[in-house]
PDB file of all heavy atoms in Angstrom:
ATOM      1  N   THR B 204     212.376  -7.430-109.460  1.00 89.00           N
ATOM      2  CA  THR B 204     212.362  -7.280-110.922  1.00 89.00           C
ATOM      3  C   THR B 204     210.961  -7.420-111.484  1.00 89.00           C
ATOM      4  O   THR B 204     210.621  -6.779-112.501  1.00 89.00           O
ATOM      5  CB  THR B 204     213.275  -8.341-111.579  1.00 89.00           C
ATOM      6  OG1 THR B 204     212.797  -9.656-111.300  1.00 89.00           O
ATOM      7  CG2 THR B 204     214.689  -8.206-111.123  1.00 89.00           C
ATOM      8  N   HIS B 205     210.127  -8.254-110.884  1.00 90.00           N
ATOM      9  CA  HIS B 205     208.742  -8.411-111.347  1.00 90.00           C
ATOM     10  C   HIS B 205     207.855  -7.281-110.887  1.00 90.00           C
ATOM     11  O   HIS B 205     206.727  -7.120-111.438  1.00 90.00           O
ATOM     12  CB  HIS B 205     208.229  -9.787-110.890  1.00 90.00           C
ATOM     13  CG  HIS B 205     208.845 -10.942-111.574  1.00 90.00           C
ATOM     14  ND1 HIS B 205     208.204 -11.665-112.528  1.00 90.00           N
ATOM     15  CD2 HIS B 205     210.109 -11.466-111.466  1.00 90.00           C
ATOM     16  CE1 HIS B 205     208.985 -12.611-112.992  1.00 90.00           C
ATOM     17  NE2 HIS B 205     210.161 -12.530-112.344  1.00 90.00           N
ATOM     18  N   ASP B 206     208.284  -6.530-109.886  1.00 93.00           N
ATOM     19  CA  ASP B 206     207.535  -5.352-109.470  1.00 93.00           C
ATOM     20  C   ASP B 206     207.803  -4.155-110.388  1.00 93.00           C
ATOM     21  O   ASP B 206     206.871  -3.467-110.787  1.00 93.00           O
ATOM     22  CB  ASP B 206     207.910  -4.973-108.021  1.00 93.00           C
ATOM     23  CG  ASP B 206     207.347  -5.956-106.988  1.00 93.00           C
ATOM     24  OD1 ASP B 206     206.413  -6.705-107.319  1.00 93.00           O
ATOM     25  OD2 ASP B 206     207.873  -5.950-105.867  1.00 93.00           O
ATOM     26  N   ILE B 207     209.040  -3.990-110.736  1.00 93.00           N
ATOM     27  CA  ILE B 207     209.370  -2.823-111.559  1.00 93.00           C
ATOM     28  C   ILE B 207     209.165  -3.048-113.035  1.00 93.00           C
ATOM     29  O   ILE B 207     209.035  -2.090-113.809  1.00 93.00           O
ATOM     30  CB  ILE B 207     210.844  -2.345-111.283  1.00 93.00           C
ATOM     31  CG1 ILE B 207     211.865  -3.397-111.702  1.00 93.00           C
ATOM     32  CG2 ILE B 207     211.019  -1.970-109.830  1.00 93.00           C
ATOM     33  CD1 ILE B 207     213.303  -2.949-111.525  1.00 93.00           C
ATOM     34  N   TRP B 208     209.132  -4.317-113.482  1.00 91.00           N
ATOM     35  CA  TRP B 208     208.864  -4.658-114.877  1.00 91.00           C
ATOM     36  C   TRP B 208     207.641  -5.545-114.964  1.00 91.00           C
ATOM     37  O   TRP B 208     207.457  -6.447-114.141  1.00 91.00           O
ATOM     38  CB  TRP B 208     210.037  -5.378-115.506  1.00 91.00           C
ATOM     39  CG  TRP B 208     211.215  -4.504-115.782  1.00 91.00           C
ATOM     40  CD1 TRP B 208     211.212  -3.258-116.346  1.00 91.00           C
ATOM     41  CD2 TRP B 208     212.595  -4.850-115.537  1.00 91.00           C
ATOM     42  NE1 TRP B 208     212.506  -2.784-116.432  1.00 91.00           N
ATOM     43  CE2 TRP B 208     213.354  -3.714-115.954  1.00 91.00           C
ATOM     44  CE3 TRP B 208     213.245  -5.942-115.019  1.00 91.00           C
ATOM     45  CZ2 TRP B 208     214.760  -3.684-115.848  1.00 91.00           C
ATOM     46  CZ3 TRP B 208     214.633  -5.918-114.924  1.00 91.00           C
ATOM     47  CH2 TRP B 208     215.372  -4.808-115.336  1.00 91.00           C
ATOM     48  N   ASP B 209     206.821  -5.286-115.963  1.00 89.00           N
ATOM     49  CA  ASP B 209     205.628  -6.099-116.215  1.00 89.00           C
ATOM     50  C   ASP B 209     205.987  -7.289-117.029  1.00 89.00           C
ATOM     51  O   ASP B 209     206.343  -7.181-118.225  1.00 89.00           O
ATOM     52  CB  ASP B 209     204.561  -5.226-116.930  1.00 89.00           C
ATOM     53  CG  ASP B 209     203.236  -5.969-117.047  1.00 89.00           C
ATOM     54  OD1 ASP B 209     203.158  -7.177-116.692  1.00 89.00           O
ATOM     55  OD2 ASP B 209     202.268  -5.323-117.507  1.00 89.00           O
ATOM     56  N   HIS B 210     205.895  -8.483-116.426  1.00 84.00           N
ATOM     57  CA  HIS B 210     206.225  -9.716-117.124  1.00 84.00           C
ATOM     58  C   HIS B 210     204.942 -10.405-117.644  1.00 84.00           C
ATOM     59  O   HIS B 210     205.017 -11.585-118.092  1.00 84.00           O
ATOM     60  CB  HIS B 210     206.968 -10.669-116.184  1.00 84.00           C
ATOM     61  CG  HIS B 210     208.349 -10.232-115.845  1.00 84.00           C
ATOM     62  ND1 HIS B 210     208.617  -9.158-115.031  1.00 84.00           N
ATOM     63  CD2 HIS B 210     209.586 -10.714-116.243  1.00 84.00           C
ATOM     64  CE1 HIS B 210     209.921  -8.981-114.919  1.00 84.00           C
ATOM     65  NE2 HIS B 210     210.532  -9.923-115.627  1.00 84.00           N
ATOM     66  N   GLY B 211     203.826  -9.795-117.586  1.00 80.00           N
ATOM     67  CA  GLY B 211     202.601 -10.380-118.142  1.00 80.00           C
ATOM     68  C   GLY B 211     201.659 -10.880-117.070  1.00 80.00           C
ATOM     69  O   GLY B 211     202.045 -11.126-115.924  1.00 80.00           O
ATOM     70  N   GLU B 212     200.375 -11.043-117.430  1.00 70.00           N
ATOM     71  CA  GLU B 212     199.358 -11.443-116.451  1.00 70.00           C
ATOM     72  C   GLU B 212     199.597 -12.829-115.886  1.00 70.00           C
ATOM     73  O   GLU B 212     199.171 -13.075-114.761  1.00 70.00           O
ATOM     74  CB  GLU B 212     197.974 -11.384-117.118  1.00 70.00           C
ATOM     75  CG  GLU B 212     197.573  -9.969-117.529  1.00 70.00           C
ATOM     76  CD  GLU B 212     196.174  -9.935-118.145  1.00 70.00           C
ATOM     77  OE1 GLU B 212     195.566 -11.022-118.268  1.00 70.00           O
ATOM     78  OE2 GLU B 212     195.701  -8.849-118.524  1.00 70.00           O
ATOM     79  N   ALA B 213     200.224 -13.716-116.654  1.00 71.00           N
ATOM     80  CA  ALA B 213     200.440 -15.083-116.195  1.00 71.00           C
ATOM     81  C   ALA B 213     201.578 -15.199-115.211  1.00 71.00           C
ATOM     82  O   ALA B 213     201.790 -16.227-114.592  1.00 71.00           O
ATOM     83  CB  ALA B 213     200.683 -15.992-117.389  1.00 71.00           C
ATOM     84  N   ASP B 214     202.325 -14.127-115.024  1.00 77.00           N
ATOM     85  CA  ASP B 214     203.485 -14.134-114.143  1.00 77.00           C
ATOM     86  C   ASP B 214     203.002 -14.267-112.657  1.00 77.00           C
ATOM     87  O   ASP B 214     202.254 -13.417-112.167  1.00 77.00           O
ATOM     88  CB  ASP B 214     204.281 -12.836-114.346  1.00 77.00           C
ATOM     89  CG  ASP B 214     205.414 -12.711-113.369  1.00 77.00           C
ATOM     90  OD1 ASP B 214     205.901 -13.758-112.881  1.00 77.00           O
ATOM     91  OD2 ASP B 214     205.783 -11.571-113.066  1.00 77.00           O
ATOM     92  N   GLU B 215     203.477 -15.294-111.970  1.00 86.00           N
ATOM     93  CA  GLU B 215     203.062 -15.514-110.600  1.00 86.00           C
ATOM     94  C   GLU B 215     203.558 -14.420-109.645  1.00 86.00           C
ATOM     95  O   GLU B 215     202.973 -14.165-108.614  1.00 86.00           O
ATOM     96  CB  GLU B 215     203.596 -16.856-110.111  1.00 86.00           C
ATOM     97  CG  GLU B 215     202.915 -18.054-110.826  1.00 86.00           C
ATOM     98  CD  GLU B 215     203.408 -19.397-110.266  1.00 86.00           C
ATOM     99  OE1 GLU B 215     204.283 -19.355-109.390  1.00 86.00           O
ATOM    100  OE2 GLU B 215     202.938 -20.439-110.730  1.00 86.00           O
ATOM    101  N   LEU B 216     204.658 -13.764-109.995  1.00 86.00           N
ATOM    102  CA  LEU B 216     205.216 -12.742-109.169  1.00 86.00           C
ATOM    103  C   LEU B 216     204.734 -11.335-109.515  1.00 86.00           C
ATOM    104  O   LEU B 216     205.191 -10.345-108.957  1.00 86.00           O
ATOM    105  CB  LEU B 216     206.770 -12.783-109.256  1.00 86.00           C
ATOM    106  CG  LEU B 216     207.447 -14.038-108.777  1.00 86.00           C
ATOM    107  CD1 LEU B 216     208.964 -13.931-108.933  1.00 86.00           C
ATOM    108  CD2 LEU B 216     207.104 -14.332-107.311  1.00 86.00           C
ATOM    109  N   ASN B 217     203.749 -11.259-110.436  1.00 92.00           N
ATOM    110  CA  ASN B 217     203.256  -9.968-110.868  1.00 92.00           C
ATOM    111  C   ASN B 217     202.211  -9.416-109.864  1.00 92.00           C
ATOM    112  O   ASN B 217     201.065  -9.186-110.206  1.00 92.00           O
ATOM    113  CB  ASN B 217     202.651 -10.058-112.263  1.00 92.00           C
ATOM    114  CG  ASN B 217     202.280  -8.716-112.839  1.00 92.00           C
ATOM    115  OD1 ASN B 217     202.750  -7.672-112.381  1.00 92.00           O
ATOM    116  ND2 ASN B 217     201.371  -8.736-113.830  1.00 92.00           N
ATOM    117  N   ARG B 218     202.635  -9.211-108.621  1.00 93.00           N
ATOM    118  CA  ARG B 218     201.683  -8.763-107.626  1.00 93.00           C
ATOM    119  C   ARG B 218     201.216  -7.348-107.859  1.00 93.00           C
ATOM    120  O   ARG B 218     200.076  -7.013-107.605  1.00 93.00           O
ATOM    121  CB  ARG B 218     202.354  -8.861-106.225  1.00 93.00           C
ATOM    122  CG  ARG B 218     203.624  -8.046-106.028  1.00 93.00           C
ATOM    123  CD  ARG B 218     204.206  -8.278-104.676  1.00 93.00           C
ATOM    124  NE  ARG B 218     205.433  -7.534-104.484  1.00 93.00           N
ATOM    125  CZ  ARG B 218     206.209  -7.623-103.400  1.00 93.00           C
ATOM    126  NH1 ARG B 218     205.883  -8.440-102.429  1.00 93.00           N
ATOM    127  NH2 ARG B 218     207.304  -6.911-103.297  1.00 93.00           N
ATOM    128  N   VAL B 219     202.120  -6.495-108.414  1.00 95.00           N
ATOM    129  CA  VAL B 219     201.706  -5.110-108.687  1.00 95.00           C
ATOM    130  C   VAL B 219     200.595  -5.083-109.736  1.00 95.00           C
ATOM    131  O   VAL B 219     199.590  -4.402-109.593  1.00 95.00           O
ATOM    132  CB  VAL B 219     202.914  -4.297-109.137  1.00 95.00           C
ATOM    133  CG1 VAL B 219     202.484  -2.907-109.682  1.00 95.00           C
ATOM    134  CG2 VAL B 219     203.881  -4.073-108.012  1.00 95.00           C
ATOM    135  N   GLY B 220     200.802  -5.849-110.796  1.00 94.00           N
ATOM    136  CA  GLY B 220     199.776  -5.909-111.875  1.00 94.00           C
ATOM    137  C   GLY B 220     198.431  -6.395-111.386  1.00 94.00           C
ATOM    138  O   GLY B 220     197.405  -5.851-111.735  1.00 94.00           O
ATOM    139  N   ARG B 221     198.492  -7.419-110.530  1.00 94.00           N
ATOM    140  CA  ARG B 221     197.213  -7.992-110.027  1.00 94.00           C
ATOM    141  C   ARG B 221     196.515  -6.975-109.102  1.00 94.00           C
ATOM    142  O   ARG B 221     195.298  -6.863-109.125  1.00 94.00           O
ATOM    143  CB  ARG B 221     197.489  -9.293-109.267  1.00 94.00           C
ATOM    144  CG  ARG B 221     197.814 -10.462-110.164  1.00 94.00           C
ATOM    145  CD  ARG B 221     197.740 -11.780-109.348  1.00 94.00           C
ATOM    146  NE  ARG B 221     198.682 -11.811-108.265  1.00 94.00           N
ATOM    147  CZ  ARG B 221     199.935 -12.216-108.370  1.00 94.00           C
ATOM    148  NH1 ARG B 221     200.403 -12.610-109.537  1.00 94.00           N
ATOM    149  NH2 ARG B 221     200.755 -12.226-107.309  1.00 94.00           N
ATOM    150  N   GLU B 222     197.269  -6.260-108.272  1.00 95.00           N
ATOM    151  CA  GLU B 222     196.678  -5.308-107.352  1.00 95.00           C
ATOM    152  C   GLU B 222     196.078  -4.142-108.129  1.00 95.00           C
ATOM    153  O   GLU B 222     194.991  -3.641-107.779  1.00 95.00           O
ATOM    154  CB  GLU B 222     197.722  -4.808-106.353  1.00 95.00           C
ATOM    155  CG  GLU B 222     198.154  -5.837-105.333  1.00 95.00           C
ATOM    156  CD  GLU B 222     197.049  -6.184-104.357  1.00 95.00           C
ATOM    157  OE1 GLU B 222     196.237  -5.296-104.016  1.00 95.00           O
ATOM    158  OE2 GLU B 222     196.957  -7.386-103.956  1.00 95.00           O
ATOM    159  N   VAL B 223     196.786  -3.684-109.165  1.00 96.00           N
ATOM    160  CA  VAL B 223     196.271  -2.580-109.942  1.00 96.00           C
ATOM    161  C   VAL B 223     194.962  -3.013-110.637  1.00 96.00           C
ATOM    162  O   VAL B 223     193.967  -2.276-110.644  1.00 96.00           O
ATOM    163  CB  VAL B 223     197.294  -2.095-110.985  1.00 96.00           C
ATOM    164  CG1 VAL B 223     196.690  -1.131-111.978  1.00 96.00           C
ATOM    165  CG2 VAL B 223     198.502  -1.466-110.279  1.00 96.00           C
ATOM    166  N   ALA B 224     194.999  -4.168-111.254  1.00 95.00           N
ATOM    167  CA  ALA B 224     193.796  -4.653-111.980  1.00 95.00           C
ATOM    168  C   ALA B 224     192.632  -4.823-111.027  1.00 95.00           C
ATOM    169  O   ALA B 224     191.484  -4.477-111.348  1.00 95.00           O
ATOM    170  CB  ALA B 224     194.120  -5.982-112.660  1.00 95.00           C
ATOM    171  N   GLY B 225     192.908  -5.377-109.829  1.00 96.00           N
ATOM    172  CA  GLY B 225     191.834  -5.564-108.850  1.00 96.00           C
ATOM    173  C   GLY B 225     191.245  -4.243-108.371  1.00 96.00           C
ATOM    174  O   GLY B 225     190.010  -4.127-108.219  1.00 96.00           O
ATOM    175  N   ALA B 226     192.080  -3.258-108.162  1.00 97.00           N
ATOM    176  CA  ALA B 226     191.585  -1.932-107.692  1.00 97.00           C
ATOM    177  C   ALA B 226     190.723  -1.262-108.765  1.00 97.00           C
ATOM    178  O   ALA B 226     189.696  -0.703-108.461  1.00 97.00           O
ATOM    179  CB  ALA B 226     192.772  -1.038-107.336  1.00 97.00           C
TER     180      ALA B 226
END
Side-chain angles (χ1 to χ4, degrees):
T204 61
H205 290 254
D206 289 341
I207 64 177
W208 287 315
D209 186 354
H210 290 71
E212 294 181 1
D214 175 27
E215 293 183 358
L216 297 179
N217 187 19
R218 60 184 178 184
V219 170
R221 286 194 300 272
E222 290 292 325
V223 170

